[in-house]
Amino acid sequence: MAKLNENFFNLKKNYLFIDIAKRIKAYTAEHPDAKLIRMGIGDVTQPLAPVVVEAMEKACREMGVKETFRGYEDSGAGYDFLRDAVSDYYKSFGADVPAGEIHISDGAKSDCGNIIDIFGEGNVVLVTDPAYPVYVDSNVMSGNSVLYADSNEENGFAAMPPKDIKADLIYLCSPNNPTGSVYTKAQLKEWVDYALSNDAIIIFDAAYEAFITDAELPRSIYQIEGARKCAIEICSLSKTAGFTGTRCGYTVVPEDIIQKNSKGEDVKIADLWNRRQGSKFNGVSYPVQRGAEAVFTPEGQKQTKATIAYYQENARMIAATCDELGISYTGGINSPYIWLKCPDGMGSWDFFDYLLNEIQVVGTPGAGFGKNGDGWFRLTAFGTHEATAEAMERLKGLLKK
Amino acid sequence: MAKLNENFFNLKKNYLFIDIAKRIKAYTAEHPDAKLIRMGIGDVTQPLAPVVVEAMEKACREMGVKETFRGYEDSGAGYDFLRDAVSDYYKSFGADVPAGEIHISDGAKSDCGNIIDIFGEGNVVLVTDPAYPVYVDSNVMSGNSVLYADSNEENGFAAMPPKDIKADLIYLCSPNNPTGSVYTKAQLKEWVDYALSNDAIIIFDAAYEAFITDAELPRSIYQIEGARKCAIEICSLSKTAGFTGTRCGYTVVPEDIIQKNSKGEDVKIADLWNRRQGSKFNGVSYPVQRGAEAVFTPEGQKQTKATIAYYQENARMIAATCDELGISYTGGINSPYIWLKCPDGMGSWDFFDYLLNEIQVVGTPGAGFGKNGDGWFRLTAFGTHEATAEAMERLKGLLKK
């Protein structure tokens, strides 16, 4: 009789998107002609940049010719051409990340889930609340208990290190999903110092870094002194370049993160990750890596930044509408998410129903991301200008008094 | 202080390919003009089929157009077009596998490593020896101890269920890597019956199924009665269609595998895998899935089978040479591997050095795959006709007395 991983039974069923789908289905069944505007899901809508498509097509053709065909990658951590390109990208905004520390992956979600493999039992895991559910779920699956640092209106939804918790593993996400808040360098420095003083490791999710326009805000934790000794950074091209369906990301594991094992010996965390990936991963599709490389060329940066600017204009529209309506929010600038306070003290789900029923706009109830999300609501800037503008007109019509 | 997964320190350092590389380097340093023929690594050399390249190129172009762009996949388990195609492929050789039970992945290695996530501690894990190292390593990483079923000359390198072990998890690979042996239906039925009688789960690695030409031999464990209640099958397009660098595989988790949890409640194994993947995986690149779909079209089958036939001709050449030289071997038919007995009682590494020094042919010492591999040697059929023929001429020149 195979013993099962019974930690799975401790996972909370994530009803969030199931519930949303159910309510939408019920509504559209009764109102088949309703023109819903979906601003709930964090998926992109704009196509891949032309240079990316060209590079991928070319790589596909190479795979069809004996002389240029590629089989297994040597390391499985990515081709040098892409690791070098990512390293140069980091340099462009002031972070020094050697190519050899960059591990190319099929996306941030995989690495975010798999990184747990290298850690043992009994770690105190600290997650900000609200948060992306994968941080908690991947830890629960491994039998780790999770403590929370509150992100709330008082701290601008930017949780800071709790004085009373000695964490071993810390999850941070900036720009934050779902709240859109962005840590300043000073704030991140506090987290790095906290991690160093506890010999803790930060898992830094930088998936939305490309939305940062304010040059004073850090796009990578490696812009912070000391981070190379304590932080793993996970990033992705999903939001940077619309790779949600193309699948490519990267994880940085600095050689300088050294921890003690139970015998008191030094262990390089990068060695554990290399060993994990060496046994359980075989690299990313070659054409996809060529597409990713193209993102980091000058032309690729120009084209992908134009798409980011398109989404940023949507975010600006949503934020301006909130301003006009006197609604509190975080995000909207330096982030594709607008995290807004439900008006009149409404709960997240009440507001969801209200928008669905009255103006056929679908967002995401903040309560789905953690207890501090209750009474808050997430709108995303990933739609079209037309749909976003129309949704904001409807919202003004509904809430303007 | 983060606690580490100290099971990693119990992993044997796999010196096999490092040692091989070292010896080759030393040899070529002394003999810079030597013409090495590499028959050691299990990577393919022939390009992707034209229909696959075309399908991938088309999909890349779709990703560049707003109307046909694809973002996140709904389930992450693969697009219906591909799951349906794989299901039909199974039907073509007599296995009934519903599309909904097929999970598309980035390759067999990932799933083979990640499947351990759903199992708990204390399982008796049974692996045939010799074996693909990932089976053992992924279990050691999770703290599971591994027992072995011997594959040896006496049983034709086809280990059968040991009477004295009550296994909970069983790894089987047929056609086998490294030995090239293929289980008959009767043999697989014994394994299925053994698993059912122990309420055990078989993890069946079918990566080389496309090399089976004998219609009497099973290409899938689901051709065996009862397998739907106890077997997970992992397969890949790496060897079927040259996808080692393109990355696409599939794992079948039948809805009929039910196990008890510690409370005695029924648990569907498929639910655990769905939950694991839902939290830690986000699907395979859309263009890659379109390429995989093309493999299963009539034209795709014609083209990929021509490449398989090319490798099979190499395997035939190697086997014929062994016959001529009176060398015992398994594989060669229904398999891209030839597993041969080192002549004159030589050890695996002695024979490796002998071939390298005398005829500049590189193979893989069987000892690297487990204790039963000592005195045996693996040659692969994935080279070119020219190189394979040349290597066989050299081998005959060396060993013919």
Side-chain angles (χ1 to χ4, degrees):
Chain A
M1 173 75 74
K3 284 94 197 160
L4 309 178
N5 181 348
E6 306 223 348
N7 297 312
F8 276 60
F9 309 133
N10 299 325
L11 286 166
K12 281 192 201 143
K13 286 216 171 141
N14 198 329
Y15 291 115
L16 178 62
F17 290 101
I18 299 169
D19 265 10
I20 290 175
K22 225 181 260 175
R23 290 177 196 220
I24 292 174
K25 199 177 166 188
Y27 182 83
T28 50
E30 275 184 44
H31 308 84
D33 297 328
K35 282 198 178 161
L36 254 62
I37 302 180
R38 290 168 195 267
M39 302 178 74
I41 296 170
D43 200 358
V44 298
T45 53
Q46 297 299 305
L48 292 184
V51 286
V52 172
V53 173
E54 270 166 48
M56 293 203 331
E57 280 189 274
K58 178 166 176 282
C60 291
R61 286 192 299 271
E62 286 175 33
M63 295 296 265
V65 177
K66 194 167 162 40
E67 288 68 29
T68 51
F69 173 77
R70 307 244 186 171
Y72 289 123
E73 224 185 68
D74 274 348
S75 73
Y79 283 105
D80 286 343
F81 64 74
L82 180 52
R83 300 172 91 183
D84 289 340
V86 175
S87 180
D88 289 344
Y89 178 66
Y90 270 113
K91 261 193 214 98
S92 75
F93 50 81
D96 183 21
V97 179
E101 297 179 352
I102 296 164
H103 303 250
I104 306 302
S105 78
D106 61 315
K109 190 178 179 188
S110 302
D111 281 2
C112 196
N114 294 336
I115 196 85
I116 295 298
D117 280 11
I118 67 172
F119 297 108
E121 283 170 28
N123 281 304
V124 176
V125 179
L126 186 67
V127 175
T128 60
D129 174 312
Y132 177 51
V134 168
Y135 310 149
V136 175
D137 288 353
S138 57
N139 273 288
V140 171
M141 282 180 182
S142 292
N144 297 335
S145 52
V146 174
L147 300 177
Y148 295 93
D150 290 323
S151 295
N152 52 34
E153 196 169 8
E154 287 68 50
N155 60 28
F157 285 97
M160 296 308 295
K163 306 270 176 263
D164 53 335
I165 298 176
K166 261 184 85 73
D168 302 310
L169 294 177
I170 302 154
Y171 286 79
L172 299 177
C173 175
S174 177
N176 191 268
N177 175 16
T179 75
S181 67
V182 187
Y183 282 123
T184 62
K185 284 181 184 167
Q187 287 174 321
L188 266 194
K189 182 76 169 65
E190 269 191 61
W191 276 108
V192 167
D193 290 344
Y194 169 78
L196 290 173
S197 71
N198 285 323
D199 285 321
I201 291 176
I202 294 172
I203 296 167
F204 188 78
D205 183 346
Y208 301 93
E209 58 80 19
F211 281 83
I212 294 179
T213 44
D214 182 342
E216 286 305 305
L217 292 171
R219 290 170 62 173
S220 163
I221 197 161
Y222 303 117
Q223 293 173 263
I224 308 302
E225 200 193 325
R228 281 187 52 79
K229 292 191 172 174
C230 65
I232 293 168
E233 181 162 297
I234 297 176
C235 198
S236 152
L237 297 179
S238 285
K239 308 302 156 72
T240 305
F243 269 48
T244 51
T246 306
R247 313 299 317 137
C248 194
Y250 46 94
T251 291
V252 178
V253 187
E255 295 283 324
D256 297 357
I257 311 183
I258 311 282
Q259 294 263 322
K260 299 273 183 212
N261 66 13
S262 60
K263 291 182 190 161
E265 299 158 338
D266 284 346
V267 177
K268 221 187 253 187
I269 294 297
D271 288 345
L272 296 184
W273 183 243
N274 279 324
R275 194 67 209 256
R276 192 270 169 211
Q277 294 294 82
S279 289
K280 301 194 185 183
F281 187 60
N282 232 338
V284 172
S285 185
Y286 171 68
V288 171
Q289 291 197 55
R290 282 293 186 198
E293 180 192 22
V295 169
F296 299 109
T297 59
E299 189 56 31
Q301 282 295 293
K302 205 176 124 192
Q303 292 177 3
T304 52
K305 279 181 178 164
T307 303
I308 297 268
Y310 180 94
Y311 296 136
Q312 283 167 328
E313 170 57 20
N314 289 341
R316 195 205 53 74
M317 273 196 260
I318 302 169
T321 304
C322 289
D323 284 335
E324 198 177 324
L325 293 169
I327 293 174
S328 303
Y329 64 95
T330 50
I333 311 170
N334 305 306
S335 162
Y337 295 126
I338 290 85
W339 178 250
L340 59 92
K341 192 174 188 172
C342 304
D344 304 324
M346 270 189 190
S348 292
W349 281 106
D350 293 337
F351 191 59
F352 175 89
D353 288 334
Y354 186 56
L355 293 195
L356 175 61
N357 289 314
E358 299 299 324
I359 59 170
Q360 296 76 52
V361 169
V362 178
T364 312
F369 298 100
K371 76 175 168 61
N372 290 307
D374 201 21
W376 292 76
F377 201 75
R378 190 188 77 173
L379 291 176
T380 87
F382 289 121
T384 62
H385 284 341
E386 299 69 29
T388 307
E390 167 70 21
M392 292 305 103
E393 284 313 306
R394 293 186 196 173
L395 194 67
K396 282 186 231 173
L398 180 71
L399 297 179
K400 223 171 203 170
K401 284 158 195 162
Chain B
M1 172 76 71
K3 284 96 199 158
L4 309 178
N5 180 348
E6 307 222 348
N7 297 312
F8 276 60
F9 309 133
N10 300 325
L11 286 166
K12 281 193 201 140
K13 286 217 172 138
N14 197 329
Y15 291 114
L16 178 62
F17 290 101
I18 299 168
D19 266 9
I20 291 175
K22 226 181 261 174
R23 290 177 195 220
I24 293 175
K25 202 178 163 188
Y27 182 83
T28 49
E30 276 184 44
H31 308 85
D33 297 328
K35 281 199 178 159
L36 255 62
I37 301 179
R38 291 167 195 267
M39 304 178 73
I41 297 168
D43 198 358
V44 299
T45 53
Q46 297 298 306
L48 294 183
V51 285
V52 172
V53 173
E54 270 166 46
M56 293 203 333
E57 279 189 274
K58 177 165 176 282
C60 291
R61 287 192 296 272
E62 286 175 34
M63 294 297 266
V65 177
K66 196 169 160 41
E67 288 67 30
T68 51
F69 172 78
R70 307 246 185 168
Y72 289 122
E73 225 186 64
D74 274 348
S75 73
Y79 283 106
D80 286 343
F81 63 75
L82 179 53
R83 301 172 91 182
D84 289 341
V86 175
S87 180
D88 288 344
Y89 178 67
Y90 270 113
K91 260 193 215 97
S92 74
F93 50 82
D96 183 22
V97 179
E101 297 179 352
I102 296 164
H103 303 251
I104 306 302
S105 78
D106 61 316
K109 190 177 177 187
S110 302
D111 281 4
C112 195
N114 294 336
I115 196 85
I116 296 296
D117 280 12
I118 68 172
F119 297 108
E121 285 169 27
N123 281 304
V124 176
V125 179
L126 186 68
V127 174
T128 60
D129 174 310
Y132 176 52
V134 168
Y135 309 149
V136 175
D137 288 352
S138 58
N139 274 287
V140 171
M141 282 179 182
S142 292
N144 297 335
S145 52
V146 174
L147 299 176
Y148 295 93
D150 291 322
S151 295
N152 50 35
E153 198 170 6
E154 287 67 51
N155 59 30
F157 286 97
M160 295 309 296
K163 305 272 174 265
D164 53 334
I165 299 175
K166 262 184 84 75
D168 302 310
L169 293 177
I170 301 155
Y171 287 79
L172 299 177
C173 175
S174 176
N176 191 267
N177 176 17
T179 75
S181 67
V182 187
Y183 282 121
T184 63
K185 283 182 184 166
Q187 287 174 322
L188 265 194
K189 181 75 168 66
E190 268 192 62
W191 275 110
V192 167
D193 290 343
Y194 169 79
L196 290 172
S197 71
N198 285 322
D199 286 322
I201 291 175
I202 293 172
I203 296 167
F204 188 78
D205 183 345
Y208 300 94
E209 60 79 20
F211 281 83
I212 294 178
T213 44
D214 182 342
E216 285 305 304
L217 293 172
R219 290 172 61 174
S220 163
I221 198 161
Y222 303 117
Q223 292 173 263
I224 310 301
E225 199 193 326
R228 281 188 52 79
K229 292 193 170 169
C230 65
I232 292 168
E233 181 163 298
I234 297 177
C235 200
S236 153
L237 297 179
S238 285
K239 308 301 157 72
T240 305
F243 269 48
T244 51
T246 306
R247 313 298 317 137
C248 194
Y250 47 93
T251 291
V252 178
V253 188
E255 295 282 323
D256 297 357
I257 310 183
I258 311 282
Q259 293 264 322
K260 299 274 184 209
N261 66 14
S262 61
K263 291 180 189 162
E265 299 158 339
D266 284 347
V267 177
K268 222 188 253 185
I269 294 296
D271 289 345
L272 295 185
W273 183 243
N274 279 324
R275 193 66 209 258
R276 192 272 168 208
Q277 294 295 80
S279 289
K280 301 193 186 185
F281 187 62
N282 232 338
V284 172
S285 186
Y286 171 68
V288 171
Q289 291 197 54
R290 282 294 187 197
E293 180 193 24
V295 169
F296 300 108
T297 59
E299 189 56 29
Q301 283 294 293
K302 204 176 124 193
Q303 293 177 3
T304 52
K305 279 180 179 163
T307 303
I308 298 269
Y310 180 93
Y311 296 135
Q312 282 167 328
E313 170 56 19
N314 290 341
R316 194 203 54 74
M317 272 196 261
I318 303 170
T321 303
C322 289
D323 285 335
E324 199 177 322
L325 293 170
I327 293 175
S328 303
Y329 65 94
T330 50
I333 312 169
N334 304 306
S335 162
Y337 295 125
I338 290 86
W339 178 250
L340 59 91
K341 192 174 187 174
C342 305
D344 304 323
M346 271 189 189
S348 292
W349 281 105
D350 293 335
F351 191 59
F352 175 89
D353 287 334
Y354 186 56
L355 293 194
L356 175 61
N357 288 314
E358 300 298 324
I359 58 169
Q360 296 77 52
V361 169
V362 178
T364 313
F369 298 101
K371 74 175 168 66
N372 290 307
D374 201 20
W376 291 76
F377 201 74
R378 190 187 78 173
L379 291 176
T380 86
F382 289 123
T384 61
H385 285 340
E386 298 69 28
T388 306
E390 167 70 21
M392 291 305 103
E393 283 313 306
R394 293 187 195 173
L395 193 67
K396 282 187 234 174
L398 182 69
L399 297 179
K400 224 172 203 172
K401 283 155 197 171

